[in-house]
């Protein structure tokens, strides 16, 4: 499983904002990133993506085994 990284984005040498990267590469179609911090809790990052026709028409199926760490995966309550 690939790990995400917080990316600091710069434009013309000035801080521009945040993004999410994997293996040092910015993920595509990000439209918004917000960072939520609360005392004595882990930081939470909310990322909004724009789904274009290419992403929707070519989905990938991923089977999660029963022992996988599901923390942070979707909003499932199972």
């Amino acid at each position: 499983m690939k790990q995400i990284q917080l990316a600091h984005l710069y434009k013309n040498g000035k801080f521009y904002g945040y993004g999410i990267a994997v293996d040092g590469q910015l993920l595509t179609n990000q439209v918004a990133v917000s960072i939520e911090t609360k005392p004595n809790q882990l930081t939470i990052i909310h990322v909004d993506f724009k789904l274009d026709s290419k992403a929707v028409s070519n989905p990938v199926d991923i089977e999660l085994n029963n022992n996988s760490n599901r923390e942070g995966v979707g909003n499932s309550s199972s």
Side-chain angles (χ1 to χ4, degrees):
M1 198 177 310
K2 298 271 186 173
Q3 294 294 315
I4 63 167
Q5 300 167 288
L6 180 64
H8 294 161
L9 306 177
Y10 292 89
K11 189 172 188 176
N12 298 322
K14 293 183 181 178
F15 180 71
Y16 190 71
Y18 295 100
I20 298 297
V22 173
D23 293 335
Q25 296 291 311
L26 193 62
L27 297 179
T28 61
N29 298 344
Q30 294 178 62
V31 294
V33 175
S34 63
I35 300 173
E36 179 182 330
T37 59
K38 294 181 181 177
N40 302 316
Q41 293 185 14
L42 294 174
T43 300
I44 297 174
I45 300 172
H46 300 275
V47 183
D48 295 334
F49 292 93
K50 174 186 69 175
L51 289 178
D52 57 17
S53 60
K54 182 178 178 182
V56 173
S57 65
N58 191 20
V60 60
D61 294 332
I62 298 174
E63 180 69 31
L64 301 174
N65 72 36
N66 292 334
N67 297 325
S68 67
N69 180 355
R70 296 272 323 222
E71 183 177 332
V73 176
N75 293 321
S76 139
S77 59
S78 56

